């Protein structure tokens, strides 16, 4: 059986935790810089929902990853509101976690996304092109500052 791993990323002893979902690598260290820049004395956990089972297999779907993540998150924090932030592919997992929590009657306090790539086929063409132009400009501007 696959199990989601929660990786403690700060030393805050108490408070409502923030759960960070890394990109497709599934490695919580990918979001360590985000955790380091979040302010406040709240515990922050990296959620690694891509763990391999004994046979070396990963979950096959976002839904499977999210279901496992919900179980791990609820074991750590029994009641909401839940604060979720997803980076890249982890944003899709965070979104599904939020949906599952909501369906179960639990409150999601924050659902944040960082550089989440969305599938073109789900967007009207004009809106997708506009978003890609904006994303390209953002990355271009960032490179010119560095």
């Amino acid at each position: 059986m696959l199990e989601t791993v929660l990786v403690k990323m700060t030393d805050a002893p108490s408070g409502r935790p923030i759960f960070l979902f890394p990109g497709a690598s599934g490695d919580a260290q990918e979001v360590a810089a985000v955790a380091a820049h979040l302010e406040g004395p709240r515990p922050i956990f990296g959620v690694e929902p891509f763990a391999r089972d004994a046979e070396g297999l990963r979950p096959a779907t976002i839904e499977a990853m999210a279901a496992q993540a919900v179980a791990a998150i609820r074991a750590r924090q029994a009641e909401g509101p839940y604060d979720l932030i997803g980076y890249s592919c982890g944003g899709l997992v965070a979104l599904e976690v939020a949906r599952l929590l909501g369906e179960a009657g639990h409150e999601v306090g924050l659902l944040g996304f960082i550089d989440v790539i969305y599938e073109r086929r789900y967007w009207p063409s004009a809106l997708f092109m506009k978003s890609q132009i904006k994303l390209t400009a953002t990355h271009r501007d960032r490179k010119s500052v560095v």
Side-chain angles (χ1 to χ4, degrees):
M1 176 173 170
L2 295 165
E3 292 186 18
T4 294
V5 175
L6 296 181
V7 177
K8 190 169 185 181
M9 303 188 80
T10 63
D11 291 327
S14 63
R16 189 169 85 212
I18 297 172
F19 298 97
L20 293 176
F21 294 79
S25 74
D27 185 352
Q29 293 309 310
E30 185 177 43
V31 290
V34 174
H37 286 89
L38 291 173
E39 294 182 20
R42 296 172 61 181
I44 299 174
F45 291 90
V47 182
E48 295 183 345
F50 310 118
R52 295 181 186 272
D53 65 10
E55 297 169 2
L57 300 174
R58 292 180 186 225
T61 65
I62 295 291
E63 292 83 359
M65 291 176 209
Q68 293 168 5
V70 166
I73 289 168
R74 298 263 347 272
R76 173 62 178 80
Q77 180 186 342
E79 298 295 323
Y82 297 93
D83 294 335
L84 315 168
I85 300 173
Y87 165 71
S88 190
C89 179
L92 301 177
V93 180
L95 179 62
E96 182 64 10
V97 166
R99 187 187 70 76
L100 292 173
L101 288 169
E103 280 185 356
H106 300 286
E107 180 183 352
V108 174
L110 168 71
L111 177 58
F113 301 109
I114 302 169
D115 206 16
V116 175
I117 304 300
Y118 41 85
E119 181 60 45
R120 176 183 182 170
R121 67 182 168 197
Y122 300 116
W123 288 76
S125 294
L127 184 57
F128 181 81
M129 290 306 296
K130 182 177 179 180
S131 68
Q132 292 303 294
I133 291 167
K134 192 179 223 181
L135 181 62
T136 300
T138 299
H139 286 290
R140 181 198 66 225
D141 293 346
R142 184 180 303 152
K143 288 185 186 251
S144 65
V145 172
V146 175

